[in-house]
């Protein structure tokens, strides 16, 4: 029940209670007034007859008065309910303006303000408080953009320099075997740090509101991701079964490619040697859908939701170098939320996981 309807019912209830009280008081006063009226007429000679006639007169008058008053109260009460509905709507219109502004807001429209004009009442205080909150949010998003831009440069550059120096050193034919082994270990560690930083930057970027949206065929993205994945070396030998049907989503092609890539890489990393992976795309109930199903260890149902948290994996809270930093599903969820979609995960019977992503169609 909406606030407007609740206020209307409250107005009506108060009116009927006040009307009933007024009718009760008026009936008592009218009965007292009529009780003092002397009945005079032909054929009324004795006091008993006069008293009986007076009693009948008062009773009939009060019955008609109360009956007609109740009818009038009901009619006026209906009019009051209708008027109360419009009065409540007008009283709540500033709140509706606040709600409409909040719905329109995104990262790219945080400059909008309600700027409610009128008396300094509780509603204007709420609107001013909301405007102040938007100002703080705008400053926070600007700070985040600057941080991501600076971190992108400051964190990538030293790692790229380290990788280049190590590759040059390892390219020297006179390098000893021990030094070569150390160099390869450092290269692997450097590569892992690069992947971690890329994942964190992508996570920060995917949590921001999209500024541009384009129609993207998920089947084409999935085919591209599978092609790139086939060129890379994986620890597990996994059989991939693509079931790709055209399904156009509205969003950022780069982020959507990262979404599908993370789903596929996660399904391969947390699979078993000789396992299987199914990648499906298409339209489901009007939504552009991507589904990745993989074999692997059994996943308890109560652990599924926690897998979407950053740095969280099944039975492990810390980062393990063998299977990445635990950001894959976190990035997936952030990209999905940025596209105003939904992501679901469920344990697969026999072991493994089924992840389904639904996005607004393009």
């Amino acid at each position: 029940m909406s606030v407007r309807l609740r206020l209307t019912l409250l107005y009506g209830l108060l009116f009927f209670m006040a009307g009933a009280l007024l009718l009760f008081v008026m009936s008592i006063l009218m009965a007292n007034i009529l009780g003092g009226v002397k009945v005079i007429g032909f054929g009324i000679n004795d006091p008993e007859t006069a008293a009986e006639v007076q009693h009948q007169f008062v009773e009939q008058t009060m019955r008609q008065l109360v009956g007609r008053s109740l009818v009038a109260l009901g009619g006026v009460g209906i009019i009051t309910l209708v008027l109360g509905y419009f009065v409540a709507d007008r009283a709540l219109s500033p709140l509706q303006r606040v709600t409409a502004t909040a719905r329109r807001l995104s990262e790219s429209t945080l400059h909008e303000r309600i700027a409610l004009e009128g008396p300094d009442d509780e509603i204007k205080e709420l609107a001013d408080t909301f405007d102040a909150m938007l100002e703080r949010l705008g400053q926070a998003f600007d700070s985040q953009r600057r941080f991501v831009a600076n971190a992108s440069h400051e964190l990538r550059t030293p790692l790229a320099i380290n990788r280049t120096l190590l590759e040059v050193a390892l390219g020297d034919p006179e390098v000893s075997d021990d030094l070569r082994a150390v160099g390869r270990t450092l290269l692997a560690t450097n590569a892992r740090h690069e992947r971690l930083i890329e994942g964190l930057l992508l996570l920060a970027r995917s949590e921001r509101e999209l500024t541009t949206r384009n129609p993207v065929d998920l089947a084409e993205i999935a085919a591209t991701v599978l092609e790139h994945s086939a060129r890379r070396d994986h620890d597990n030998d996994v059989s991939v079964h693509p079931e790709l049907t055209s399904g156009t989503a509205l969003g950022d092609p780069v982020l959507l490619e990262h979404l599908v890539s993370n789903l596929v890489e996660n399904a391969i990393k947390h699979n078993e040697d000789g396992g299987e992976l199914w990648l499906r795309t298409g339209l489901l109930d009007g939504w552009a859908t991507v589904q990745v199903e993989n074999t692997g260890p059994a996943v308890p149902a109560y652990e599924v939701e926690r897998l979407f948290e950053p740095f969280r994996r099944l039975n492990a809270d810390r980062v393990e170098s063998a299977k990445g930093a635990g950001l894959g599903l976190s990035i997936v969820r952030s990209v999905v939320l940025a596209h105003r979609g939904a992501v679901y995960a469920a344990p697969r019977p026999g072991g493994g996981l089924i992840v389904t992503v639904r996005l607004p169609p393009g």
Side-chain angles (χ1 to χ4, degrees):
M1 187 180 298
S2 64
V3 176
R4 180 169 57 181
L5 184 56
R6 290 202 300 268
L7 286 176
T8 302
L9 295 178
L10 179 60
Y11 296 157
L13 178 61
L14 292 176
F15 173 80
F16 281 113
M17 292 176 61
L21 179 61
L22 178 62
L23 179 60
F24 176 74
V25 173
M26 185 183 65
S27 299
I28 294 177
L29 295 177
M30 185 60 68
N32 290 332
I33 293 173
L34 293 177
V37 175
K38 299 296 182 180
V39 178
I40 303 174
F42 296 102
I44 303 175
N45 299 321
D46 59 291
E48 293 182 359
T49 303
E52 180 65 24
V53 173
Q54 182 185 13
H55 177 71
Q56 292 178 0
F57 170 74
V58 172
E59 184 178 356
Q60 292 177 4
T61 303
M62 291 301 300
R63 185 182 297 114
Q64 293 183 13
L65 176 64
V66 172
R68 294 180 182 182
S69 298
L70 289 176
V71 173
L73 179 63
V76 177
I78 294 175
I79 298 176
T80 302
L81 287 175
V82 175
L83 293 177
Y85 185 82
F86 289 103
V87 170
D89 181 63
R90 183 170 181 81
L92 293 174
S93 58
L95 291 180
Q96 295 172 352
R97 182 177 173 183
V98 173
T99 303
T101 303
R103 287 176 177 172
R104 289 196 310 269
L105 289 177
S106 64
E107 182 185 347
S108 59
T109 58
L110 284 177
H111 61 279
E112 291 189 22
R113 297 293 182 269
I114 300 173
L116 186 65
E117 297 180 357
D120 291 331
D121 54 10
E122 290 82 356
I123 296 181
K124 189 175 187 304
E125 183 180 0
L126 173 63
D128 293 342
T129 303
F130 194 80
D131 286 342
M133 182 190 67
L134 291 179
E135 184 68 27
R136 293 193 297 270
L137 281 176
Q139 295 175 359
F141 274 103
D142 290 339
S143 176
Q144 184 192 45
R145 292 191 193 99
R146 290 193 297 269
F147 169 77
V148 172
N150 293 333
S152 177
H153 174 74
E154 296 295 336
L155 296 178
R156 287 174 177 169
T157 302
L159 292 176
I161 294 175
N162 289 342
R163 184 180 68 252
T164 303
L165 293 176
L166 289 171
E167 290 174 349
V168 170
L170 291 177
D172 188 353
E174 298 181 359
V175 174
S176 64
D177 294 338
D178 293 340
L179 187 58
R180 191 179 300 276
V182 172
R184 289 173 178 171
T185 302
L186 292 176
L187 268 179
T189 302
N190 196 83
R192 177 177 170 276
H193 289 162
E194 287 181 330
R195 290 194 301 270
L196 175 60
I197 291 173
E198 289 291 338
L200 289 172
L201 294 176
L202 178 59
L203 182 61
R205 185 161 65 95
S206 62
E207 287 179 343
R208 294 158 51 187
E209 181 72 18
L210 298 180
T211 56
T212 58
R213 297 176 184 269
N214 301 313
V216 183
D217 191 348
L218 295 179
E220 296 180 359
I221 286 184
T224 303
V225 169
L226 290 179
E227 181 181 353
H228 292 168
S229 179
R231 298 174 183 173
R232 291 194 292 267
D233 295 330
H234 300 286
D235 295 335
N236 299 327
D237 185 12
V238 177
S239 299
V240 180
H241 307 286
E243 301 175 11
L244 307 181
T245 304
S246 180
T248 303
L250 196 63
D252 187 326
V254 177
L255 288 181
L256 291 178
E257 183 175 343
H258 279 295
L259 182 149
V260 178
S261 178
N262 281 344
L263 287 176
V264 172
E265 291 300 319
N266 187 76
I268 294 176
K269 288 179 182 178
H270 299 281
N271 212 317
E272 54 193 12
D273 195 19
E276 295 180 283
L277 183 154
W278 292 266
L279 176 59
R280 307 180 181 98
T281 62
L283 290 175
L284 180 63
D285 298 332
W287 293 78
T289 305
V290 178
Q291 186 180 77
V292 176
E293 177 181 354
N294 65 278
T295 57
V299 180
Y302 59 84
E303 286 281 354
V304 170
E305 184 62 27
R306 300 172 63 187
L307 296 178
F308 288 94
E309 299 176 8
F311 302 105
R312 179 82 66 168
R313 287 192 313 276
L314 182 63
N315 299 326
D317 294 342
R318 302 298 296 173
V319 176
E320 295 179 7
S321 59
K323 294 188 177 181
L327 292 174
L329 292 182
S330 302
I331 294 174
V332 168
R333 182 174 62 179
S334 296
V335 173
V336 169
L337 293 179
H339 285 78
R340 299 174 186 172
V343 57
Y344 311 94
R348 179 181 178 274
L353 199 64
I354 303 175
V355 182
T356 304
V357 172
R358 306 177 70 180
L359 301 171

